[in-house]
Short mmCIF file of all heavy atoms in Angstrom, two decimals:
data_model
loop_
_atom_site.label_atom_id
_atom_site.label_comp_id
_atom_site.label_asym_id
_atom_site.label_seq_id
_atom_site.Cartn_x
_atom_site.Cartn_y
_atom_site.Cartn_z
N LEU A 1 -88.80 -20.56 -12.54
CA LEU A 1 -87.84 -20.91 -11.51
C LEU A 1 -88.55 -21.54 -10.31
O LEU A 1 -88.02 -22.46 -9.68
CB LEU A 1 -87.05 -19.68 -11.07
CG LEU A 1 -86.00 -19.90 -9.97
CD1 LEU A 1 -84.97 -20.93 -10.41
CD2 LEU A 1 -85.32 -18.57 -9.61
N SER A 2 -89.74 -21.06 -10.02
CA SER A 2 -90.50 -21.62 -8.91
C SER A 2 -90.84 -23.09 -9.16
O SER A 2 -90.84 -23.91 -8.23
CB SER A 2 -91.78 -20.81 -8.68
OG SER A 2 -92.57 -20.79 -9.86
N ASP A 3 -91.12 -23.44 -10.42
CA ASP A 3 -91.39 -24.84 -10.76
C ASP A 3 -90.14 -25.69 -10.57
O ASP A 3 -90.20 -26.82 -10.08
CB ASP A 3 -91.88 -24.95 -12.21
CG ASP A 3 -93.17 -24.20 -12.44
OD1 ASP A 3 -94.08 -24.31 -11.60
OD2 ASP A 3 -93.27 -23.48 -13.46
N GLN A 4 -89.00 -25.12 -10.96
CA GLN A 4 -87.73 -25.82 -10.80
C GLN A 4 -87.46 -26.11 -9.32
O GLN A 4 -87.08 -27.23 -8.95
CB GLN A 4 -86.60 -24.98 -11.39
CG GLN A 4 -85.21 -25.55 -11.13
CD GLN A 4 -84.11 -24.64 -11.64
OE1 GLN A 4 -84.27 -23.96 -12.66
NE2 GLN A 4 -83.01 -24.59 -10.92
N ILE A 5 -87.65 -25.12 -8.48
CA ILE A 5 -87.40 -25.28 -7.05
C ILE A 5 -88.38 -26.28 -6.45
O ILE A 5 -88.02 -27.15 -5.66
CB ILE A 5 -87.50 -23.92 -6.33
CG1 ILE A 5 -86.40 -22.98 -6.86
CG2 ILE A 5 -87.40 -24.10 -4.82
CD1 ILE A 5 -86.49 -21.57 -6.31
N ALA A 6 -89.65 -26.17 -6.83
CA ALA A 6 -90.68 -27.05 -6.28
C ALA A 6 -90.43 -28.52 -6.65
O ALA A 6 -90.70 -29.43 -5.86
CB ALA A 6 -92.05 -26.61 -6.76
N GLN A 7 -89.90 -28.75 -7.85
CA GLN A 7 -89.66 -30.12 -8.31
C GLN A 7 -88.27 -30.63 -7.94
O GLN A 7 -87.94 -31.78 -8.24
CB GLN A 7 -89.86 -30.18 -9.83
CG GLN A 7 -91.28 -29.86 -10.28
CD GLN A 7 -91.42 -29.82 -11.79
OE1 GLN A 7 -90.71 -30.52 -12.51
NE2 GLN A 7 -92.35 -29.01 -12.29
N GLY A 8 -87.46 -29.77 -7.32
CA GLY A 8 -86.12 -30.19 -6.93
C GLY A 8 -85.20 -30.40 -8.11
O GLY A 8 -84.22 -31.15 -8.01
N ALA A 9 -85.49 -29.73 -9.22
CA ALA A 9 -84.64 -29.86 -10.41
C ALA A 9 -83.29 -29.19 -10.15
O ALA A 9 -83.22 -28.12 -9.54
CB ALA A 9 -85.32 -29.23 -11.61
N ARG A 10 -82.23 -29.81 -10.64
CA ARG A 10 -80.88 -29.30 -10.39
C ARG A 10 -79.90 -29.91 -11.39
O ARG A 10 -80.19 -30.94 -12.02
CB ARG A 10 -80.44 -29.66 -8.97
CG ARG A 10 -80.64 -31.12 -8.63
CD ARG A 10 -79.71 -31.57 -7.52
NE ARG A 10 -78.35 -31.67 -8.00
CZ ARG A 10 -77.30 -31.97 -7.22
NH1 ARG A 10 -77.48 -32.17 -5.94
NH2 ARG A 10 -76.08 -32.06 -7.72
N PRO A 11 -78.74 -29.30 -11.55
CA PRO A 11 -77.72 -29.89 -12.43
C PRO A 11 -77.05 -31.08 -11.76
O PRO A 11 -76.87 -31.11 -10.54
CB PRO A 11 -76.73 -28.73 -12.64
CG PRO A 11 -76.88 -27.88 -11.42
CD PRO A 11 -78.31 -27.99 -11.01
N ASN A 12 -76.68 -32.06 -12.57
CA ASN A 12 -75.95 -33.24 -12.09
C ASN A 12 -74.81 -33.53 -13.05
O ASN A 12 -74.97 -33.44 -14.28
CB ASN A 12 -76.87 -34.47 -12.01
CG ASN A 12 -77.90 -34.35 -10.91
OD1 ASN A 12 -77.57 -34.10 -9.76
ND2 ASN A 12 -79.17 -34.52 -11.27
N THR A 13 -73.67 -33.87 -12.51
CA THR A 13 -72.53 -34.23 -13.36
C THR A 13 -72.53 -35.72 -13.61
O THR A 13 -72.86 -36.52 -12.73
CB THR A 13 -71.20 -33.82 -12.70
OG1 THR A 13 -71.10 -34.44 -11.41
CG2 THR A 13 -71.10 -32.32 -12.55
N ILE A 14 -72.16 -36.10 -14.83
CA ILE A 14 -72.08 -37.50 -15.22
C ILE A 14 -70.67 -37.76 -15.75
O ILE A 14 -70.15 -36.99 -16.56
CB ILE A 14 -73.11 -37.86 -16.30
CG1 ILE A 14 -74.53 -37.58 -15.79
CG2 ILE A 14 -72.99 -39.31 -16.73
CD1 ILE A 14 -75.61 -37.80 -16.84
N LEU A 15 -70.04 -38.82 -15.27
CA LEU A 15 -68.71 -39.20 -15.72
C LEU A 15 -68.82 -40.23 -16.83
O LEU A 15 -69.47 -41.26 -16.65
CB LEU A 15 -67.90 -39.76 -14.54
CG LEU A 15 -66.56 -40.41 -14.89
CD1 LEU A 15 -65.62 -39.42 -15.55
CD2 LEU A 15 -65.92 -41.01 -13.63
N TYR A 16 -68.17 -39.96 -17.96
CA TYR A 16 -68.14 -40.91 -19.07
C TYR A 16 -66.72 -41.36 -19.34
O TYR A 16 -65.78 -40.55 -19.33
CB TYR A 16 -68.70 -40.27 -20.35
CG TYR A 16 -70.20 -40.04 -20.33
CD1 TYR A 16 -70.73 -38.77 -20.54
CD2 TYR A 16 -71.07 -41.10 -20.12
CE1 TYR A 16 -72.09 -38.55 -20.52
CE2 TYR A 16 -72.44 -40.89 -20.11
CZ TYR A 16 -72.95 -39.62 -20.30
OH TYR A 16 -74.30 -39.41 -20.29
N ARG A 17 -66.55 -42.67 -19.57
CA ARG A 17 -65.27 -43.19 -20.00
C ARG A 17 -65.07 -42.92 -21.48
O ARG A 17 -66.02 -42.73 -22.23
CB ARG A 17 -65.17 -44.70 -19.76
CG ARG A 17 -65.39 -45.14 -18.33
CD ARG A 17 -65.10 -46.64 -18.20
NE ARG A 17 -65.75 -47.40 -19.27
CZ ARG A 17 -66.98 -47.84 -19.22
NH1 ARG A 17 -67.75 -47.59 -18.17
NH2 ARG A 17 -67.49 -48.53 -20.23
N ALA A 18 -63.83 -42.96 -21.91
CA ALA A 18 -63.52 -42.69 -23.31
C ALA A 18 -64.19 -43.70 -24.24
O ALA A 18 -64.65 -43.35 -25.33
CB ALA A 18 -62.01 -42.70 -23.52
N ASP A 19 -64.29 -44.96 -23.82
CA ASP A 19 -64.86 -46.00 -24.67
C ASP A 19 -66.36 -45.83 -24.87
O ASP A 19 -66.94 -46.47 -25.75
CB ASP A 19 -64.59 -47.38 -24.08
CG ASP A 19 -63.14 -47.79 -24.24
OD1 ASP A 19 -62.40 -47.04 -24.88
OD2 ASP A 19 -62.75 -48.86 -23.73
N GLN A 20 -67.01 -44.99 -24.07
CA GLN A 20 -68.44 -44.78 -24.23
C GLN A 20 -68.76 -43.82 -25.38
O GLN A 20 -69.90 -43.76 -25.84
CB GLN A 20 -69.04 -44.23 -22.94
CG GLN A 20 -69.06 -45.25 -21.80
CD GLN A 20 -69.69 -44.68 -20.54
OE1 GLN A 20 -69.00 -44.28 -19.61
NE2 GLN A 20 -71.00 -44.64 -20.50
N VAL A 21 -67.78 -43.07 -25.83
CA VAL A 21 -67.99 -42.11 -26.92
C VAL A 21 -67.90 -42.86 -28.25
O VAL A 21 -66.86 -43.38 -28.62
CB VAL A 21 -66.96 -40.97 -26.86
CG1 VAL A 21 -67.15 -40.02 -28.05
CG2 VAL A 21 -67.09 -40.21 -25.55
N LEU A 22 -69.02 -42.89 -28.98
CA LEU A 22 -69.07 -43.57 -30.26
C LEU A 22 -68.58 -42.69 -31.41
O LEU A 22 -68.10 -43.19 -32.42
CB LEU A 22 -70.50 -44.03 -30.55
CG LEU A 22 -71.15 -44.95 -29.51
CD1 LEU A 22 -72.58 -45.29 -29.93
CD2 LEU A 22 -70.33 -46.22 -29.33
N GLY A 23 -68.73 -41.40 -31.25
CA GLY A 23 -68.31 -40.47 -32.30
C GLY A 23 -68.63 -39.04 -31.91
O GLY A 23 -69.47 -38.79 -31.05
N PHE A 24 -67.94 -38.12 -32.55
CA PHE A 24 -68.18 -36.70 -32.30
C PHE A 24 -67.82 -35.89 -33.53
O PHE A 24 -67.04 -36.33 -34.38
CB PHE A 24 -67.39 -36.21 -31.08
CG PHE A 24 -65.89 -36.36 -31.21
CD1 PHE A 24 -65.12 -35.37 -31.79
CD2 PHE A 24 -65.26 -37.51 -30.75
CE1 PHE A 24 -63.75 -35.51 -31.93
CE2 PHE A 24 -63.88 -37.67 -30.88
CZ PHE A 24 -63.13 -36.66 -31.46
N LYS A 25 -68.42 -34.71 -33.62
CA LYS A 25 -68.12 -33.78 -34.70
C LYS A 25 -67.80 -32.42 -34.09
O LYS A 25 -68.33 -32.06 -33.03
CB LYS A 25 -69.31 -33.65 -35.65
CG LYS A 25 -69.66 -34.94 -36.40
CD LYS A 25 -70.86 -34.73 -37.33
CE LYS A 25 -71.21 -36.01 -38.07
NZ LYS A 25 -72.37 -35.82 -38.98
N HIS A 26 -66.92 -31.71 -34.76
CA HIS A 26 -66.55 -30.38 -34.26
C HIS A 26 -66.18 -29.48 -35.42
O HIS A 26 -65.91 -29.95 -36.54
CB HIS A 26 -65.39 -30.48 -33.26
CG HIS A 26 -64.15 -31.11 -33.83
ND1 HIS A 26 -63.06 -30.39 -34.27
CD2 HIS A 26 -63.83 -32.42 -34.07
CE1 HIS A 26 -62.13 -31.21 -34.70
NE2 HIS A 26 -62.57 -32.45 -34.61
#
C-alpha cells in the first residue's frame, strides 16, 4: 500500500460507447 500511495496509483473510471464493444461472453 505504501508503494501505491508513493506512486499516486488510484482507480480511474473510463466511459465506453456501445460501438466500442467488439464482443463479450457471459
Side-chain angles (χ1 to χ4, degrees):
L1 180 59
S2 58
D3 299 315
Q4 174 184 326
I5 297 175
Q7 297 175 30
R10 50 156 288 176
N12 291 307
T13 57
I14 301 175
L15 170 61
Y16 289 123
R17 302 187 313 274
D19 287 356
Q20 291 181 259
V21 177
L22 302 179
F24 60 88
K25 296 180 180 180
H26 59 100

